[in-house]
Amino acid sequence: MNIKDLYYFQRLISTQSYTQTAADFHVSQPTIFQAIKRLERHFQTTLFFRQAKTKALVLTPSGQQLLLAANDIIANWQHVNESIGHLRQHTLRLGIEPAISEHYLPTLTKPIVEKDLLNSVHTVEMGANQLVKQVLGGQLDLAISGNLDQTLDERLAVTPLRPFHFKILASPHHKLAQMDNPTFEDALQSPFVILNATYLNKLVFHQLAEQLSIEPQVMFESDSSSLISGLVREDLALGFVSDVGQPADADLIEIPITDVQVPSVHINLIRRAHQFPIGLFKDVMDIVETTFKNDDATNQKENN
């Protein structure tokens, strides 16, 4: 048995046609027939049968199991080919969430330049959900992404870099800023401006509101932290922000969230579980982990 047999089997079940499958792979129909026979001999079982009325190919339980395995094997094989190709070319594709990029990319770039890796690391920005999809799909090798801890796919290897901390942003003139120990429930009596669905902030914000069974008033959604700060500064709304990508603003009041259970959210370094960190891959992972560790140490020193 070889991996081509799995490709033929997968396509045959998809097309339901020996003729179409042979044409797709530019081989003869007997080649497809023989591949199926090899698989059945190897596993000593029948993989499918042809339904009499519709002529459809119907998988047996063994065929269903093999198709599931074939899908994983073929996907992993394609990823391995891509990964080895990048190793040969000494290139790596790194995805990063925009809010994280704004805060960390300058610091990350310095050691990349110092190690003469700038031409080898190709960086792209996109939202957290898209980053996960592209790592799983093999379009990205590594990603730095904010994720709800319970939503990460088991096919990913995940290195937590630092937690998110969420807070309410208010103008000093807002009634919430005048209250003693204001709660998130108090805050929901006012309109909010929040980051849009590209960011996890929106998902977390609505989860917190659901805990209180309150429908929040969202005045505006944006992909700009600066715009949110501007609207809050004008006392038009409250902001819901994290400590990632949101620069400190001395003109605004930061109010902690204490009366609801904030979900666990981390900035993570993610890769496919079967992708081994060697060579350039390991060099970039080390740079990312060291950058976040140093930043965390600096923040703790400043806070003390």
Side-chain angles (χ1 to χ4, degrees), residues 18-300:
Y18 280 92
T19 302
Q20 184 61 55
T21 301
D24 289 346
F25 287 102
H26 307 289
V27 297
S28 65
Q29 284 191 49
T31 299
I32 307 301
F33 278 112
Q34 291 303 316
I36 300 305
K37 291 301 180 186
R38 278 194 298 272
L39 289 170
E40 290 185 330
R41 283 197 302 270
H42 178 83
F43 292 107
Q44 299 179 20
T45 189
T46 299
L47 297 173
F48 56 82
F49 61 89
R50 191 179 290 279
Q51 199 171 57
K53 290 184 178 180
T54 64
K55 304 300 182 184
L57 301 179
V58 180
L59 289 168
T60 64
S62 296
Q64 292 172 357
Q65 183 64 56
L66 181 59
L67 182 61
L68 291 172
N71 290 339
D72 285 341
I73 290 167
I74 289 169
N76 288 338
W77 183 251
Q78 290 170 341
H79 294 157
V80 168
N81 280 319
E82 291 172 358
S83 298
I84 292 175
H86 295 149
L87 286 172
R88 288 200 312 268
Q89 298 165 14
H90 199 63
T91 60
L92 180 140
R93 299 154 303 173
L94 172 66
I96 186 167
E97 200 174 326
I100 300 171
S101 173
E102 183 179 356
H103 184 76
Y104 285 101
L105 193 57
T107 312
L108 282 169
T109 302
K110 184 177 179 182
I112 288 174
V113 171
E114 289 173 347
K115 292 181 179 291
D116 197 26
L117 299 177
L118 190 60
N119 292 331
S120 301
V121 180
H122 306 299
T123 307
V124 295
E125 288 186 343
M126 60 186 70
N129 291 337
Q130 193 62 22
L131 286 172
V132 170
K133 288 178 182 177
Q134 293 221 359
V135 171
L136 286 171
Q139 292 89 1
L140 291 174
D141 300 300
L142 283 171
I144 304 171
S145 172
N147 310 99
L148 285 166
D149 291 356
Q150 67 269 30
T151 62
L152 286 168
D153 194 291
E154 62 183 10
R155 293 170 293 173
L156 296 172
V158 180
T159 304
L161 297 172
R162 59 151 289 185
F164 275 75
H165 299 104
F166 294 94
K167 55 200 174 187
I168 300 163
L169 210 58
S171 160
H173 309 294
H174 194 280
K175 62 182 180 181
L176 199 72
Q178 313 301 321
M179 297 172 62
D180 293 329
N181 303 317
T183 65
F184 192 68
E185 185 171 4
D186 294 329
L188 288 176
Q189 307 309 309
S190 300
F192 270 83
V193 286
I194 62 175
L195 290 170
N196 61 29
T198 305
Y199 301 87
L200 281 171
N201 293 43
K202 179 178 178 178
L203 178 61
V204 172
F205 175 75
H206 284 284
Q207 284 191 4
L208 298 183
E210 284 176 8
Q211 289 183 38
L212 298 167
S213 300
I214 297 174
E215 184 65 32
Q217 307 169 58
V218 179
M219 175 189 290
F220 190 70
E221 295 180 12
S222 174
D223 60 0
S224 169
S225 299
S226 298
L227 180 57
I228 288 175
S229 295
L231 292 170
V232 172
R233 191 176 295 106
E234 294 299 321
D235 203 19
L236 297 172
L238 297 171
F240 180 78
V241 299
S242 75
D243 58 344
V244 178
Q246 180 73 34
D249 193 321
D251 297 332
L252 300 178
I253 305 298
E254 296 181 355
I255 301 171
I257 299 169
T258 57
D259 60 317
V260 286
Q261 182 65 44
V262 181
S264 180
V265 185
H266 277 80
I267 298 177
N268 296 305
L269 179 61
I270 62 176
R271 58 181 172 87
R272 294 184 298 280
H274 67 269
Q275 174 70 62
F276 299 108
I278 56 176
L280 175 63
F281 207 99
K282 185 177 188 306
D283 290 340
V284 175
M285 285 187 66
D286 288 344
I287 287 172
V288 172
E289 292 181 45
T290 300
T291 297
F292 276 82
K293 188 180 296 183
N294 290 343
D295 183 76
D296 185 52
T298 300
N299 289 337
Q300 289 184 6

